[in-house]
Amino acid sequence: MSKTKCEWALGHFEAYEQYHDEEWGAPTHDDKVHFEFLILESAQAGLSWSIVLKKREGYREAFANFDVKKVAKFTEEDIQSLISNPAIIRNQKKIRAAVNNAIQFLEVQHEFGSFSKYIWSFVKNETIVGHWPTKNQVPATSPESDALSKDLKKRGFKFVGSTIMYAHMQATGLVNDHTTDCYRYKELLS
């Protein structure tokens, strides 16, 4: 018997449904995961999530397995190599933003002890639970994502608008926006 899932997760390729079933909305305090999603969500800007998921392995390889210290040291030569890498989205501004954001990420870690402590403070260290019967009711931003975006921009991060940061919050479990009929909604409440 199949489980009811969020409507957006259906009808795509296997990795898309697997992402919904195993990752999306699961709370994480792992800085490496937060850095990965900072890169991936920024890369998605203006594109579909399916494009990013299909290139996720390419990103993992191109961005040193999301090792923030290594990415922060990328040189202009590294950036030019990434711009010509077909395994990732070859948008120069997004690639440069990823390297810049690695440097800023390290600054946040230094100031707060971890990026996780920093980002979770925007939701008072507790997952915000949406109560959405349909995907059309799920918001694209929130007061928390607005505040996070504003603070990140002030710290020098790029491609961190409120919509991108709300998607990051959803992906990393700061927000549970599974629809109320989805089996993951209840799983993540416990």
Side-chain angles (χ1 to χ4, degrees):
M1 184 173 170
S2 67
K3 297 176 179 176
T4 302
K5 298 181 184 184
C6 293
E7 186 183 331
W8 64 262
L10 304 173
H12 296 279
F13 50 98
E14 186 179 334
Y16 202 93
E17 275 197 54
Q18 189 175 0
Y19 168 71
H20 168 274
D21 295 352
E22 297 173 13
E23 291 183 82
W24 195 74
T28 185
H29 295 277
D30 184 333
D31 273 12
K32 187 173 184 177
V33 174
H34 279 291
F35 182 62
E36 176 179 0
F37 278 102
L38 191 63
I39 289 178
L40 296 179
E41 296 292 354
S42 295
Q44 183 199 351
L47 302 171
S48 74
W49 184 242
S50 61
I51 291 171
V52 176
L53 272 185
K54 286 176 182 174
K55 293 187 176 279
R56 190 176 192 182
E57 286 308 311
Y59 271 93
R60 188 168 278 126
E61 189 175 312
F63 285 90
N65 198 28
F66 301 110
D67 183 323
V68 68
K69 289 179 181 174
K70 289 181 180 175
V71 176
K73 292 179 182 174
F74 279 9
T75 63
E76 183 60 30
E77 188 178 321
D78 295 323
I79 291 169
Q80 291 304 319
S81 176
L82 290 171
I83 291 169
S84 64
N85 184 342
I88 65 169
I89 295 160
R90 296 178 289 179
N91 178 303
Q92 184 173 175
K93 288 182 179 179
K94 292 177 181 180
I95 291 167
R96 288 188 184 281
V99 176
N100 169 75
N101 290 352
I103 295 165
Q104 307 314 321
F105 194 97
L106 291 173
E107 289 293 320
V108 169
Q109 285 181 321
H110 179 73
E111 183 178 343
F112 292 87
S114 73
F115 188 84
S116 178
K117 282 183 187 173
Y118 164 77
I119 197 168
W120 277 90
S121 72
F122 285 86
V123 294
K124 298 183 175 82
N125 299 309
E126 204 168 297
T127 299
I128 295 172
V129 180
H131 303 282
W132 316 115
T134 69
K135 72 173 186 165
N136 296 335
Q137 294 172 305
V138 177
T141 64
S142 69
E144 293 81 8
S145 69
D146 293 346
L148 174 58
S149 170
K150 185 178 178 182
D151 194 71
L152 287 169
K153 287 176 183 176
K154 190 173 75 178
R155 293 174 180 278
F157 285 79
K158 308 285 185 208
F159 277 90
V160 289
S162 188
T163 302
I164 291 170
M165 294 321 299
Y166 193 73
H168 181 106
M169 293 167 79
Q170 290 172 311
T172 58
L174 281 82
V175 175
N176 176 355
D177 272 346
H178 285 278
T179 50
T180 53
D181 62 341
C182 177
Y183 81 97
R184 288 290 283 159
Y185 175 79
K186 290 182 186 80
E187 275 186 4
L188 292 169
L189 290 178
S190 50

